[in-house]
Amino acid sequence: MTKFKAWLNAARLRTLPLSVSGIIVGAALAHLEGYSNVLIFSLAICTTIGFQVTSNFANDYGDGVKGTDNDDRIGPKRALQSGILTAKELKTGIMVSVLVNVVVSICLLLVAFGPDQIFLILFFLLLAIASIWAAIKYTVGNSAYGYRGLGDIFVFLFFGLLAVLGSMYLFTNYLSFQAILPAITIGLLSTAVLNLNNLRDAISDQKAGKNTIVVKIGFEKGKIYHFSLLIIAFLSLLFFTFLNYKSWVNVVHLLVFILIFTHGNKIRKTVHPKDIDPELKKLALSTFLLALMFYLSFNYFL
């Protein structure tokens, strides 16, 4: 494998559609309020992808140096685990991606708020720095929160609430109370994707001392937790749809939950952790499809 392919592998491209789902939903909410801006949307997408790539580099590095990524792990081999990239190279990649993230974030904030809104720019820049910190500290360092079962909370906050509400605010400069409902949906579905990862790696994580929620509550209860995330995500979006219903087309996006609950039923019946891996891509892409259909249901089908 070439170095270029190794970096692509470390970037984990299959995770990127999920990472932009919150931005798409935030833009949909803004458009529903009468606001749209292609440049803001494009920069927000680039910023989010940058955060995700940083997170993926950091996860590869953190789990690699801790020995969590080993032969017991069921998923694909990581760049550091396989020896294709060294720890030093990954650290350099993390630093470069952080620098790019900061530059793109500043560009986004200047376009969204203008140079005169210093307070808003500084506030959102702090949120961007917090996102970068969360991306890195999931697995890196002695106090990595992913090893203490806190990953689910951070994913819900950053992939759900911050991604959706923050991106909406970039367009509108205000938030609506109802916007919290689709933000909860995206946050819970993103958390469910992480939970799938933890279900798949439950045995190897336990051996490596990575105390995810699944390791703490067990594989079977982890499956119940997973289905609960899917149900609450559906109910939150159903309530938002009810509050904003004007035509039958406004419910089209809810059809995506047929795919999501079909996936949930598969997880319910799964006995062996190795059978979880194919479901990661299914749920991630279903969440991305849901975000696209949500946009279309309220903005373009009418």
Side-chain angles (χ1 to χ4, degrees), residues 219-235:
F219 186 78
E220 290 301 319
K221 289 183 179 179
K223 293 194 296 181
I224 296 173
Y225 167 62
H226 186 77
F227 207 79
S228 299
L229 293 173
L230 303 184
I231 292 174
I232 299 172
F234 171 71
L235 293 176

Side-chain angles (χ1 to χ4, degrees), residues 23 37-47 104 108 171:
I23 305 301
N37 186 304
V38 174
L39 184 55
I40 291 176
F41 179 75
S42 300
L43 287 171
I45 291 290
C46 290
T47 300
V104 177
L108 169 62
F171 291 97

